[in-house]
Amino acid sequence: MLEELKEKVFQANLDLVKHNLVIFTWGNVSAIDREKGLVVIKPSGVSYDTMKASDMVVVDLHSGKVVEGDLNPSSDTPTHLVLYRAFPEIGGVVHTHSTYATAWAQAGRDIPNIGTTHADYFHDDIPCTADMTADQMAEYEYHTGVVIVNRISSGNINPVHTPGVLVKNHGPFSWGKDADQAVYNAVVMEQVAKMAFISLSVNPDTTMNPLLVEKHFSRKHGPNAYYGQKKKQ
Ligand SMILES: O=C(CO)[C@@H](O)[C@@H](O)COP(=O)(O)O
């Protein structure tokens, strides 16, 4: 079942290593088949060096139960499932421990939009979730998804326009229309986290023109999208 999606998720997980976003068994990628209501995700604690497409685990979107696979699904599976249920537009989710984005998450700070590189891909500051309550620590991974959705909705953030978040004291989660786009957004998150860290160490008081944000974001999104579009006659 879902052999083609397993292969895509497997390759997307290997891309995390290719882009230096993870080491050892850290991180995970999933994708969803919305027609079947099934999610394919990386198995828990399996090295990227030895992992195979057939190791990918298939779980039910609503119950979280494993419907296919011999290995345990990623420990972050409940987080992925909350995001798929809350954001119907997304088709892939990524979690990494990429160094700079994780450092911003551990510091509990939003990654500010202070450059066109950020604005090309993420409209808003990349938000960091709040501390979790003692109650939320029970079923931590499920409530990680809940605090992500709460942070996005309370910030009136469009999850398609700002496809990522930092989980405080943990690390980044990104998403996209499919697993590949979710990985792409994870790479961008790490890059803009690094750029912002360096920029603010040079000038903590730097600013960003909101008009420049709109100009760059609209190059890829919205009616005036330019990137990769046919030349207007
Ligand atoms: O963030 C963490 C642990 O802190 C996990 O995402 C990471 O170790 C990957 O766990 P899985 O192997 O996907 O269960």
Side-chain angles (χ1 to χ4, degrees), residues 11 18 21 26 31 36 44 61 121 125 133 158 161 171 180 205 219 225 228:
Q11 291 300 336
K18 185 172 85 174
L21 298 179
W26 303 352
K36 295 185 171 65
S44 183
L61 171 64
Y121 302 94
D125 294 352
T133 63
N158 180 325
H161 293 170
D180 284 344
D205 304 319
R219 296 199 310 173

Side-chain angles (χ1 to χ4, degrees), residues 132-169:
M132 290 169 75
T133 63
D135 293 349
Q136 289 174 325
M137 291 309 291
E139 292 186 277
Y140 172 79
E141 288 78 12
Y142 167 75
H143 286 111
T144 293
V146 169
V147 297
I148 290 173
V149 174
N150 289 346
R151 181 67 181 84
I152 295 292
S153 57
S154 64
N156 293 318
I157 296 168
N158 180 325
V160 174
H161 293 170
T162 301
V165 73
L166 304 174
V167 177
K168 189 155 185 295
N169 305 122

Side-chain angles (χ1 to χ4, degrees), residues 25-29 41-46 48 72-77 80 95-97 140-141 170-171 173:
T25 65
W26 303 352
N28 35 72
V29 182
I41 194 163
K42 184 201 97 171
S44 183
V46 176
Y48 291 91
N72 289 321
S74 166
S75 52
D76 296 307
T77 299
H80 289 237
H95 168 53
T96 78
H97 291 189
Y140 172 79
E141 288 78 12
H170 186 170
F173 281 80

Side-chain angles (χ1 to χ4, degrees), residues 103-205:
W104 281 88
Q106 292 181 169
R109 288 283 185 271
D110 300 354
I111 302 174
N113 188 344
I114 51 174
T116 58
T117 312
H118 184 131
D120 277 338
Y121 302 94
F122 289 77
H123 184 266
D124 299 303
D125 294 352
I126 298 174
C128 186
T129 59
D131 283 309
M132 290 169 75
T133 63
D135 293 349
Q136 289 174 325
M137 291 309 291
E139 292 186 277
Y140 172 79
E141 288 78 12
Y142 167 75
H143 286 111
T144 293
V146 169
V147 297
I148 290 173
V149 174
N150 289 346
R151 181 67 181 84
I152 295 292
S153 57
S154 64
N156 293 318
I157 296 168
N158 180 325
V160 174
H161 293 170
T162 301
V165 73
L166 304 174
V167 177
K168 189 155 185 295
N169 305 122
H170 186 170
F173 281 80
S174 62
W175 48 85
K177 65 179 172 56
D178 54 23
D180 284 344
Q181 191 180 70
V183 169
Y184 191 104
N185 289 331
V187 175
V188 173
M189 275 182 83
E190 176 60 9
Q191 282 303 313
V192 300
K194 186 174 184 178
M195 292 172 180
F197 174 76
I198 297 168
S199 304
L200 293 172
S201 65
V202 173
N203 176 11
D205 304 319

